[in-house]
Amino acid sequence: MRVLAVYERYFARLIYGVFAFILFAVLALFVFFDMLSELESVQGGYTSLVAFFHVMLQAPTRVYEVLPIAVLISAIYVFSQLASQSEFTIFRVAGLNTRQALFSLFKLAVPLALVTFIFGEFIGPAAEQYAQKIKLEAIGATVSAGFRSGVWVKDRDRDATDGGEITRFVNVQGLKPDQSINGITIYEFDQNYRLRLIRVAKEGRYQGSQQWQLNDVNETRFVELRPAEAAAAGQPAPAQAQAPTSKRDALAPDFRAEQVLFPNMVMHSELTPQILSVLLVTPERMSTLDLFRYIRHLRDNKQDTQRYEIAFWKKVVYPLTLFVMVALALPFAYLHARAGAVGVKVFGGIMLGLSFHLANTLFSHVGLLHTWPPIVSALVPGTLYLTVALTSLRWVDRH
């Protein structure tokens, strides 16, 4: 039994051929505009050649982004041509109904969805991260995100002495291209959320096995005063072996500060370069696996994950939009030449594809603002356009 019927192979040859041309044309247009944008940043070591290399490394991400639009335009062009030459009418007379045609197009969309998945999960994220490293190395700078002081990350660990839980708030000013970090400030709290120490390090390098080597460390420790020490300092001695009985006792016990300098030290942490790599790549351009790891880290530290969950579900759903695109294109096969020229239909397809891209972005922001479930924010655009496609197919099939 043949996998594809004769007419399906005919459709595949036409659609894939036009798709390759449309994808190349759209990609060249995006690369051209990206290059114009990068020329504004050319200075010093960041030459025009390096900028061009940077833009070309971002091309796989562009392929992933424009692939559904290219599929829609190519399918609309092919079906408009078939309709203008009455070829699709002959297929219908020969017994091809709308349901069979739609199912055939879904089969043709499977390889394209697989290509989209590969570019979105493997080629695009790796190339995007390398492109950012190339640019940072050329301009000799570091990148930071979040507040003006850098990115803030919550971390947890266990106290080596009593086994109690330690909570850290880590501020990283920048991530270098080799994934070392600089400008590190760590605020460490004990299990009662009392400040234990402030650790400032010039640089940190990941050693593997959740170990970071910090260099040029200035550590300020806050040690609770003993009764004798408090009396000698002229301060009332704190109650021993008793929980704080007032808000003032809990927030302002008697401490003394000790400052210690270390040329280098090893710190155990749940943070990894993969988690901090969100500084280099936006969530929408990360792989699903990296997003999953970062979401899990945020959940473990009781932080907001909605933005990254929306990006995660969008990455999961995005290859399935190829099936929506071919469903949107099929009604154009029922519109004959007298209903409009092929060029007008292709222009309509371009507008339809751009509107889908805008709606996909819009619902991500709306879902974030209104705290919708992330999977809903990811599914709504595709569901709406699939409903439009099926409604249009039903209408053209009846009329």
Side-chain angles (χ1 to χ4, degrees), residues 24-237:
F24 176 79
V26 175
L27 182 62
L29 186 64
F30 272 93
V31 169
F32 174 73
F33 285 115
D34 286 344
M35 188 62 195
L36 289 180
S37 178
E38 283 298 319
L39 288 177
E40 299 178 358
S41 304
V42 170
Q43 59 178 350
Y46 191 56
T47 62
S48 300
L49 183 61
V50 178
F52 177 74
F53 188 46
H54 170 77
V55 170
M56 293 306 296
L57 283 172
Q58 289 183 315
T61 302
R62 290 299 188 187
V63 171
Y64 173 76
E65 293 174 350
V66 305
L67 224 153
I69 299 176
V71 169
L72 177 63
I73 297 173
S74 58
I76 288 177
Y77 176 81
V78 168
F79 285 127
S80 298
Q81 287 283 13
L82 293 176
S84 65
Q85 299 171 10
S86 301
E87 290 184 70
F88 194 78
T89 303
I90 296 174
F91 284 120
R92 294 179 64 192
V93 172
L96 179 64
N97 58 42
T98 303
R99 182 175 297 179
Q100 290 174 331
L102 184 60
F103 182 71
S104 298
L105 288 179
F106 283 167
K107 288 197 290 185
L108 299 181
V110 171
L112 298 175
L114 182 60
V115 171
T116 305
F117 175 78
I118 293 173
F119 271 90
E121 290 301 310
F122 304 105
I123 303 177
E128 178 73 21
Q129 192 168 7
Y130 189 65
Q132 298 300 329
K133 291 180 181 179
I134 291 293
K135 184 175 182 178
L136 292 176
E137 288 177 350
I139 64 179
T142 59
V143 62
S144 62
F147 299 101
R148 286 181 296 177
S149 60
V151 66
W152 288 87
V153 188
K154 188 178 179 183
D155 184 29
R156 296 187 306 173
D157 199 6
R158 289 288 176 181
D159 192 348
T161 57
D162 58 9
E165 186 177 80
I166 297 173
T167 302
R168 299 192 186 107
F169 292 93
V170 183
N171 174 246
V172 179
Q173 293 183 3
L175 175 66
K176 294 182 179 179
D178 60 357
Q179 291 190 332
S180 62
I181 55 179
N182 63 351
I184 309 157
T185 305
I186 302 169
Y187 298 90
E188 187 173 292
F189 297 81
D190 61 18
Q191 57 187 356
N192 295 319
Y193 292 98
R194 294 186 300 184
L195 184 62
R196 290 181 34 160
L197 59 86
I198 300 175
R199 185 177 293 143
V200 179
K202 183 178 180 181
E203 185 184 41
R205 293 183 179 274
Y206 191 64
Q207 304 295 314
S209 302
Q210 297 185 329
Q211 301 285 339
W212 285 88
Q213 179 176 314
L214 305 180
N215 301 323
D216 296 332
V217 182
N218 186 341
E219 186 173 284
T220 302
R221 301 172 182 172
F222 298 96
V223 182
E224 189 171 357
L225 292 176
R226 298 175 182 176
E229 294 174 329
Q235 299 176 2

Side-chain angles (χ1 to χ4, degrees), residues 94-387:
L96 179 64
N97 58 42
T98 303
R99 182 175 297 179
Q100 290 174 331
L102 184 60
F103 182 71
S104 298
L105 288 179
F106 283 167
K107 288 197 290 185
L108 299 181
V110 171
L112 298 175
L114 182 60
V115 171
T116 305
F117 175 78
I118 293 173
F119 271 90
E121 290 301 310
F122 304 105
I123 303 177
E128 178 73 21
Q129 192 168 7
Y130 189 65
Q132 298 300 329
K133 291 180 181 179
I134 291 293
K135 184 175 182 178
L136 292 176
E137 288 177 350
I139 64 179
T142 59
V143 62
S144 62
F147 299 101
R148 286 181 296 177
S149 60
V151 66
W152 288 87
V153 188
K154 188 178 179 183
D155 184 29
R156 296 187 306 173
D157 199 6
R158 289 288 176 181
D159 192 348
T161 57
D162 58 9
E165 186 177 80
I166 297 173
T167 302
R168 299 192 186 107
F169 292 93
V170 183
N171 174 246
V172 179
Q173 293 183 3
L175 175 66
K176 294 182 179 179
D178 60 357
Q179 291 190 332
S180 62
I181 55 179
N182 63 351
I184 309 157
T185 305
I186 302 169
Y187 298 90
E188 187 173 292
F189 297 81
D190 61 18
Q191 57 187 356
N192 295 319
Y193 292 98
R194 294 186 300 184
L195 184 62
R196 290 181 34 160
L197 59 86
I198 300 175
R199 185 177 293 143
V200 179
K202 183 178 180 181
E203 185 184 41
R205 293 183 179 274
Y206 191 64
Q207 304 295 314
S209 302
Q210 297 185 329
Q211 301 285 339
W212 285 88
Q213 179 176 314
L214 305 180
N215 301 323
D216 296 332
V217 182
N218 186 341
E219 186 173 284
T220 302
R221 301 172 182 172
F222 298 96
V223 182
E224 189 171 357
L225 292 176
R226 298 175 182 176
E229 294 174 329
Q235 299 176 2
Q240 296 183 10
Q242 293 182 3
T245 58
S246 67
K247 184 177 180 181
R248 184 166 179 259
D249 293 332
L251 296 178
D254 298 309
F255 285 97
R256 60 182 172 85
E258 295 179 352
Q259 193 173 49
V260 185
L261 301 178
F262 299 95
N264 55 71
M265 66 180 300
V266 176
M267 182 184 74
H268 182 272
S269 172
E270 293 182 352
L271 300 178
T272 63
Q274 288 73 26
I275 292 175
L276 294 174
S277 65
V278 296
L279 291 170
L280 290 177
V281 182
T282 59
E284 291 74 18
R285 295 188 174 186
M286 295 170 62
S287 68
T288 305
L289 182 59
D290 288 339
L291 281 169
F292 177 77
R293 289 172 177 169
Y294 192 65
I295 290 170
R296 185 175 61 182
H297 168 77
L298 293 177
R299 283 179 176 172
D300 289 342
N301 289 278
K302 298 178 177 59
Q303 294 178 274
D304 183 36
T305 63
Q306 188 174 17
R307 181 191 176 192
Y308 296 94
E309 287 189 69
I310 291 175
F312 172 82
W313 285 109
K314 283 180 65 177
K315 295 283 290 188
V316 172
V317 173
Y318 199 72
L320 302 180
T321 59
L322 274 295
F323 300 97
V324 179
M325 295 298 104
V326 295
L328 283 171
L330 185 56
F332 287 84
Y334 294 83
L335 302 178
H336 298 284
R338 62 178 180 271
V342 173
V344 175
K345 297 176 183 177
V346 173
F347 178 76
I350 294 174
M351 294 297 101
L352 193 62
L354 291 177
S355 69
F356 175 80
H357 182 72
L358 292 175
N360 204 20
T361 305
L362 175 64
F363 276 97
S364 297
H365 293 293
V366 172
L368 188 62
L369 288 173
H370 295 280
T371 62
W372 291 352
I375 190 172
V376 173
S377 302
L379 286 176
V380 165
T383 303
L384 288 177
Y385 278 77
L386 182 60
T387 302

